[in-house]
Amino acid sequence: MRRIVAVLLTCLLLAVLFIPQALAHTPLCSCSDEGDGTILCEGGFSDGASGEGVKMQVVDANGKVIIEGKMNEDSEFQFKKPEGEYTVIFDAGPGHTVKVPSSEITE
């Protein structure tokens, strides 16, 4: 019985220690049509960390990269609105990617 309690307490302790770390750095990115022919994307992380320097890509419906850049010091990325369907990709590395399809970008 003591062994079972010890194992359960150990599992609980590990969960308390590691789950918040896994959840604390979720990437966030949203984009809006500025109404002037440009798209503005803002990004960062759920723990308040800046998105400055994060790689940004815009790909067309075939997956071809048509625009590349990085988030600026204000965690923003602005680009000329492409024709047709496209997807904006906020790429902060493995497990930290957000894809925003053009169908979700509104004024």
Side-chain angles (χ1 to χ4, degrees):
M1 182 69 167
R2 284 185 178 172
R3 185 174 178 170
I4 293 172
V5 172
V7 169
L8 290 174
L9 287 175
T10 301
C11 290
L12 179 63
L13 179 63
L14 289 173
V16 168
L17 291 175
F18 291 107
I19 288 176
Q21 290 175 356
L23 299 175
H25 201 71
T26 303
L28 306 169
C29 184
S30 63
C31 301
S32 60
D33 185 328
E34 296 296 285
D36 61 359
T38 65
I39 303 296
L40 176 65
C41 299
E42 298 175 296
F45 299 90
S46 61
D47 64 357
S50 169
E52 180 179 2
V54 170
K55 179 180 176 181
M56 298 294 292
Q57 291 183 324
V58 180
V59 298
D60 66 15
N62 297 316
K64 178 183 173 190
V65 176
I66 53 177
I67 300 171
E68 286 187 292
K70 292 185 176 187
M71 286 274 172
N72 67 18
E73 63 277 355
D74 296 321
S75 298
E76 296 177 339
F77 177 68
Q78 190 165 17
F79 59 94
K80 183 180 174 188
K81 183 178 179 178
E83 294 291 325
E85 296 296 312
Y86 59 92
T87 300
V88 179
I89 303 171
F90 175 95
D91 185 1
H96 291 87
T97 302
V98 177
K99 294 182 179 182
V100 182
S102 58
S103 61
E104 294 179 9
I105 300 173
T106 59
E107 286 188 46

